[in-house]
Amino acid sequence: MENGARNLIADDENKRGNRFNKKGKSKLIIGIAAAIVGIALILGGFFYYQSTHFNSQIKINGINIGGLTADQALKKLGSTEYKNVVYIGEDKVFDGEDTKIEYTDDDLPTIKKLLKRQRTLLPSSKAKEFELEPSSDASSFAEIKQQLQDELTDRNKSLTPPKDAQAELKDGKIVITKSEDGKQYDIDGLLEQYEKQPFKSEIHLEAAYITPIKEDNQMVKQEEQKLQELLDQTIDYKVQDKIYALKGSDVIKNATITKDLKITVDPGDIENKVAEINDTQSTLNKNFSFKTHTGSVIQVKGQGYGWALNEEQEAASVQKAFENGDKSLSAANIYGNGWTNEGIGYETTGNNGIGDTYAEVSIAEQKAWIYKNGKLVVTTDVVTGRHNTNEDTHPGVWYILYKRTPYTLKGTSVGHGGAYEVEVDYWAPFTNDGQGFHDAGWRTNWASDAYLTAGSGGCVNTPANIMKKVYDNLDTYEPVIVY
């Protein structure tokens, strides 16, 4: 009985204990749940704040909008006035006119994007600055930028520019000049900095200067290579039928080159070479070696006939050919004593520059011979200029200026009593002062010594019965040798 009673009492106490434990656990769970809910509410509020407010050290265009919502930030930006003062390092280089811009509701979406960009999980005191260009017209800032650029450009005029390293040809050798630092502003670099922070009353830029091209720069190496190519270049320079191989290293001692690899050659040594060629090969005002009809060789000075190189113009052409990298060049600037300063005989190279088609006049023999392609086609007696009145036909190498049939000769003659005017059937002048071949039907004295006291006024009088044949075998620009 006693044991049974004790067991009943124990069972009852266990039941009461279990009920008590269940109640305690329920209260604990409820407490924990309430705490979690509370924390969630706190965190929710915290996260909501973080997502809708800027961190404490956030600026837009230099204006602190820390702790503000996007709407509040827009209101604070509102109408903003900027002083437009620009410093480079510690130096104030620009103080522009004040500008005022308006931020409107159209800018709110952009501010919200900035809010999202700066958001952090926990509050942050890290400083961060954004640039915000207003959606309204901000052309005044473009004007300020242009004014700043103009100011920097003007300042650079009085500042020492840098000196780039550069390849040059000096006295026949390629040298690299050393670079030197300068004090001129790197305007593009400074404006690039400025564009990143235009919406501030004070803008501070890091000093940036134009840096020179250094000696090891690839551009300098290209210049050096280009000059070496110039020295190695050879131009085949053709004068008449001769070709002169002009090598850069022989005729160019000094040259400069630009950054776009354009070469400028000093023409001094080229001019000397052209002068040397001209002196050797030209015929202007020189004696021609001429083989007469008898086979004897005489010297006859070039008069109207002859050519020379215009040395200055030819040197300029050769210089340009080297600068352009050309391989060949033909002489083109020719002059002489022709009627219009043309150089007659440049195309003729045979027979010492006279060729094998020409007219030969001997004053001593009072005869003329005409050769065509090396063959004698006409021989005739002539009467040349009157000797005792100094109206001699001019000796020299001339050329046929033109031909006319018929023609009226007009002029003055000491031996014929002054002015005259006479009709001739054929006229072929060869001197610039009017001497030439013509028929003289009025002449009766054709003696070999008639020219001494009864010669012409300077022309080569030719018998009328052969003058047509003479005329037909004379062509313009063909040489006439009088001796």
Side-chain angles (χ1 to χ4, degrees):
M1 287 274 310
E2 290 180 357
N3 288 335
R6 282 197 296 269
N7 288 335
L8 288 174
I9 293 171
D11 290 339
D12 185 55
E13 287 178 350
N14 287 334
K15 290 178 181 180
R16 285 199 303 269
N18 289 336
R19 286 196 299 270
F20 177 79
N21 288 336
K22 288 181 181 179
K23 287 181 180 180
K25 288 180 180 179
S26 296
K27 288 181 180 180
L28 179 59
I29 292 171
I30 293 172
I32 292 171
I36 291 172
V37 170
I39 291 171
L41 290 174
I42 292 171
L43 290 175
F46 172 76
F47 290 137
Y48 174 77
Y49 182 88
Q50 277 296 99
S51 64
T52 56
H53 292 73
F54 285 96
N55 281 314
S56 62
Q57 298 300 318
I58 303 300
K59 293 182 179 180
I60 295 180
N61 297 346
I63 298 174
N64 193 319
I65 44 86
L68 302 181
T69 64
D71 291 298
Q72 291 169 337
L74 174 63
K75 185 176 180 180
K76 187 170 184 179
L77 290 172
S79 178
T80 307
E81 190 172 81
Y82 297 95
K83 299 295 182 182
N84 295 307
V85 178
V86 179
Y87 290 85
I88 296 179
E90 300 297 324
D91 296 329
K92 183 166 71 173
V93 297
F94 181 74
D95 190 352
E97 295 182 1
D98 295 354
T99 55
K100 187 176 183 180
I101 60 173
E102 300 284 342
Y103 289 91
T104 66
D105 289 340
D106 292 334
D107 297 301
L108 185 58
T110 306
I111 295 175
K112 288 181 177 180
K113 289 181 180 178
L114 296 180
L115 175 64
K116 187 176 182 180
R117 284 175 54 190
Q118 63 84 56
R119 184 187 303 168
T120 55
L121 182 62
L122 299 175
S124 173
S125 59
K126 184 178 180 180
K128 194 169 186 178
E129 187 164 346
F130 296 100
E131 300 294 337
L132 176 61
E133 181 176 346
S135 57
S136 60
D137 180 25
S139 59
S140 58
F141 282 100
E143 294 175 6
I144 294 295
K145 177 187 172 184
Q146 184 61 53
Q147 292 173 16
L148 173 61
Q149 181 175 346
D150 293 343
E151 174 65 24
L152 294 175
T153 300
D154 191 57
R155 283 175 176 253
N156 267 357
K157 293 177 182 178
S158 61
L159 298 175
T160 304
K163 185 177 180 181
D164 294 334
Q166 191 171 22
E168 292 182 5
L169 182 64
K170 289 185 177 180
D171 298 324
K173 294 183 178 180
I174 299 174
V175 297
I176 308 299
T177 61
K178 291 185 177 180
S179 62
E180 296 179 8
D181 292 333
K183 290 296 184 181
Q184 286 186 335
Y185 292 118
D186 176 5
I187 297 176
D188 290 339
L190 292 172
L191 291 178
E192 186 176 344
Q193 290 187 54
Y194 174 83
E195 289 174 348
K196 294 178 180 178
Q197 47 178 330
F199 303 103
K200 290 182 181 179
S201 282
E202 284 191 7
I203 295 179
H204 291 267
L205 307 177
E206 293 183 9
Y209 301 100
I210 301 174
T211 57
I213 296 173
K214 300 298 184 180
E215 291 79 353
D216 59 351
N217 189 280
Q218 184 61 32
M219 183 180 297
V220 177
K221 296 184 185 299
Q222 290 176 344
E223 294 171 355
E224 186 177 10
Q225 179 181 352
K226 193 76 173 179
L227 289 174
Q228 186 59 55
E229 291 173 359
L230 174 68
L231 292 177
D232 295 338
Q233 181 182 351
T234 297
I235 292 178
D236 289 334
Y237 180 49
K238 185 178 181 181
V239 181
Q240 286 189 304
D241 59 344
K242 294 184 179 180
I243 295 177
Y244 300 87
L246 306 182
K247 189 173 182 180
S249 57
D250 293 333
V251 298
I252 301 174
K253 300 303 178 186
N254 298 283
T256 58
I257 187 168
T258 61
K259 290 180 175 59
D260 57 354
L261 301 181
K262 297 294 183 182
I263 292 176
T264 300
V265 171
D266 182 342
D269 291 284
I270 294 175
E271 291 175 355
N272 293 336
K273 185 62 178 180
V274 171
E276 177 187 318
I277 294 171
N278 195 33
D279 184 60
T280 301
Q281 198 170 338
S282 67
T283 60
L284 185 64
N285 299 323
K286 294 180 180 179
N287 287 334
F288 285 81
S289 291
F290 176 69
K291 188 175 182 179
T292 71
H293 66 285
T294 66
S296 63
V297 177
I298 63 174
Q299 300 295 312
V300 186
K301 187 176 181 179
Q303 297 289 354
Y305 189 87
W307 63 271
L309 299 173
N310 184 315
E311 295 176 3
E312 183 178 351
Q313 294 178 0
E314 280 300 294
S317 295
V318 175
Q319 174 189 348
K320 186 176 181 181
F322 271 110
E323 292 172 351
N324 292 341
D326 296 335
K327 300 299 182 183
S328 61
L329 175 70
S330 294
N333 300 285
I334 312 298
Y335 76 99
N337 293 331
W339 240 9
T340 56
N341 296 319
E342 66 268 53
I344 304 301
Y346 179 76
E347 302 299 333
T348 304
T349 58
N351 193 18
N352 300 312
I354 290 177
D356 56 7
T357 296
Y358 56 86
E360 176 184 349
V361 178
S362 171
I363 295 175
E365 296 180 59
Q366 290 292 286
K367 282 185 176 293
W369 301 265
I370 299 177
Y371 291 84
K372 285 289 186 181
N373 300 317
K375 294 182 178 181
L376 179 64
V377 294
V378 179
T379 301
T380 180
D381 294 328
V382 295
V383 175
T384 60
R386 185 170 175 174
H387 180 67
N388 67 338
T389 55
N390 295 318
E391 295 177 276
D392 302 88
T393 303
H394 305 319
V397 182
W398 305 92
Y399 70 96
I400 298 298
L401 299 174
Y402 60 88
K403 296 167 61 177
R404 296 289 186 272
T405 178
Y407 195 75
T408 300
L409 298 175
K410 298 178 182 181
T412 59
S413 173
V414 176
H416 294 82
Y420 65 86
E421 181 174 329
V422 61
E423 292 285 338
V424 297
D425 290 328
Y426 302 99
W427 170 237
F430 54 78
T431 72
N432 289 353
D433 61 356
Q435 296 182 352
F437 294 94
H438 65 77
D439 51 289
W442 60 88
R443 175 173 289 281
T444 59
N445 184 359
W446 292 95
S448 61
D449 60 354
Y451 78 100
L452 295 173
T453 59
S456 71
C459 288
V460 178
N461 286 179
T462 306
N465 63 349
I466 199 171
M467 184 60 208
K468 183 179 187 304
K469 187 175 182 181
V470 169
Y471 184 86
D472 288 344
N473 283 281
L474 294 174
D475 288 309
T476 304
Y477 301 118
E478 290 180 354
V480 176
I481 299 92
V482 180
Y483 58 91

